[in-house]
Amino acid sequence: SKRIQESLLPLDSYMGEYLNIGYFYQPKDIVSGDFYWFRRTPKYCFIAAVDCTGHGVPGAFMSFIGSSMLDEIVLQNEELDPVEILYLLDEKVNRVLNQHSFKGERNMDGMDVAICKFDLKSKIAMVSGAGRPILIYSNGEIIKIKNSIYSIGGSYQDEGADKKFILTERTILPGDDYFIFSDGFADQNGGPQNKKYSSSRLTNYLKEIATLDHVEQALWMREEFDLWKGKNHQVDDILLMSIKF
């Protein structure tokens, strides 16, 4: 199972041909509910950090579904923006898992996604999040990109609400750093008082390491996590990615 899941993850050499990517990826169990996805098309680079329902085997099954669906969506139409991709992904997950059915127990599995689309020629970035934020370091500051509260999959018919995803478009500047991640790092217990690392602490830490190159960042991400965790058990899958320009 571990070998199969790892074979679905993009190779560092493939991603590195187009983007400077540093990442810390560490499953809680043998297989993971977190996964990273990358696809280069003739005009664009797409990258996503995905946190599926659960971890271990249930999470891994969802990661297989999510990775193959993202490939299918983008390879059929590279002009789709991240919001359009999220809507299609949500539709596909609902259909495959029969989440629109009102018969019997309803399957509520899904995934949180942070996705970026980069036009390297025009220096344009388009980003969106389904349940996950995107942090951008630019001109010495961290900018938190607003994300949708809705996840991919699950069922919201009872609330009578339509999911809404938010598109943010930015010019890519030299020195910009895009951070996408699951919630595992921030939720890890540890430190002097055995508390969660927290999202605010993670934001501050990413600002500290944002000026390092992507290789150094990956090393420092792991070092910081191990130092905070100490002798505690890892509570969730970990995925933290940096895309530097």
Side-chain angles (χ1 to χ4, degrees):
S1 297
K2 180 180 175 65
R3 286 196 302 271
I4 292 171
Q5 186 173 48
E6 288 179 345
S7 71
L8 294 177
L9 296 173
L11 295 174
D12 291 356
S13 57
Y14 172 48
M15 297 190 294
E17 286 185 43
Y18 308 103
L19 294 173
N20 296 317
I21 299 172
Y23 66 91
F24 173 35
Y25 173 68
Q26 184 166 288
K28 177 182 183 294
D29 301 309
I30 295 173
V31 289
S32 177
D34 288 359
F35 72 94
Y36 53 96
W37 171 83
F38 176 87
R39 183 59 59 185
R40 169 67 176 179
T41 66
K43 292 176 63 176
Y44 308 106
C45 285
F46 297 83
I47 187 167
V50 185
D51 185 349
C52 298
T53 303
H55 47 76
V57 174
F61 272 114
M62 286 299 299
S63 75
F64 298 153
I65 292 171
S67 179
S68 62
M69 287 181 175
L70 283 168
D71 273 340
E72 180 183 350
I73 290 168
V74 167
L75 292 178
Q76 285 182 351
N77 185 359
E78 68 172 347
E79 296 299 336
L80 295 172
D81 67 42
V83 163
E84 293 169 326
I85 293 169
L86 291 177
Y87 280 127
L88 285 171
L89 182 61
D90 183 63
E91 179 184 319
K92 286 177 177 290
V93 169
N94 271 277
R95 185 173 67 250
V96 167
L97 298 182
N98 201 26
Q99 292 179 328
H100 290 301
S101 173
F102 287 89
K103 296 180 180 179
E105 185 177 348
R106 192 173 298 172
N107 183 314
M108 297 295 290
D109 291 326
M111 57 195 75
D112 293 335
V113 183
I115 183 169
C116 306
K117 176 182 181 179
F118 299 115
D119 183 336
L120 300 182
K121 184 176 181 180
S122 300
K123 301 296 183 183
I124 297 296
M126 289 176 279
V127 304
S128 188
R132 296 304 306 153
I134 295 99
L135 300 180
I136 302 174
Y137 175 84
S138 186
N139 292 321
E141 298 296 332
I142 288 282
I143 302 161
K144 183 176 181 180
I145 301 300
K146 188 175 181 181
N147 62 290
S148 170
I149 62 171
Y150 296 111
S151 299
I152 297 299
S155 178
Y156 293 88
Q157 292 96 328
D158 291 341
E159 291 82 356
D162 292 327
K163 294 183 182 180
K164 289 181 171 58
F165 302 118
I166 303 163
L167 180 66
T168 299
E169 184 172 321
R170 290 176 53 88
T171 299
I172 301 171
L173 302 176
D176 280 359
D177 200 341
Y178 287 66
F179 294 101
I180 53 177
F181 44 91
S182 68
D183 59 5
F185 201 120
D187 285 348
Q188 178 61 47
N189 294 325
Q193 298 178 311
N194 199 32
K195 292 184 176 181
K196 288 186 177 182
Y197 191 84
S198 80
S199 297
S200 60
R201 186 187 298 271
L202 180 59
T203 299
N204 291 333
Y205 183 70
L206 294 178
K207 184 177 180 180
E208 287 180 22
I209 66 171
T211 56
L212 301 177
D213 69 48
H214 62 288
V215 177
E216 289 182 294
Q217 284 181 335
L219 296 174
W220 281 105
M221 289 171 184
R222 182 177 295 276
E223 180 76 15
E224 177 73 359
F225 179 79
D226 289 342
L227 183 64
W228 182 265
K229 180 173 75 69
K231 295 182 179 179
N232 290 311
H233 294 295
Q234 183 174 327
V235 300
D236 200 357
D237 300 316
I238 306 296
L239 175 58
L240 174 57
M241 306 190 78
S242 160
I243 305 101
K244 288 187 65 70
F245 294 95

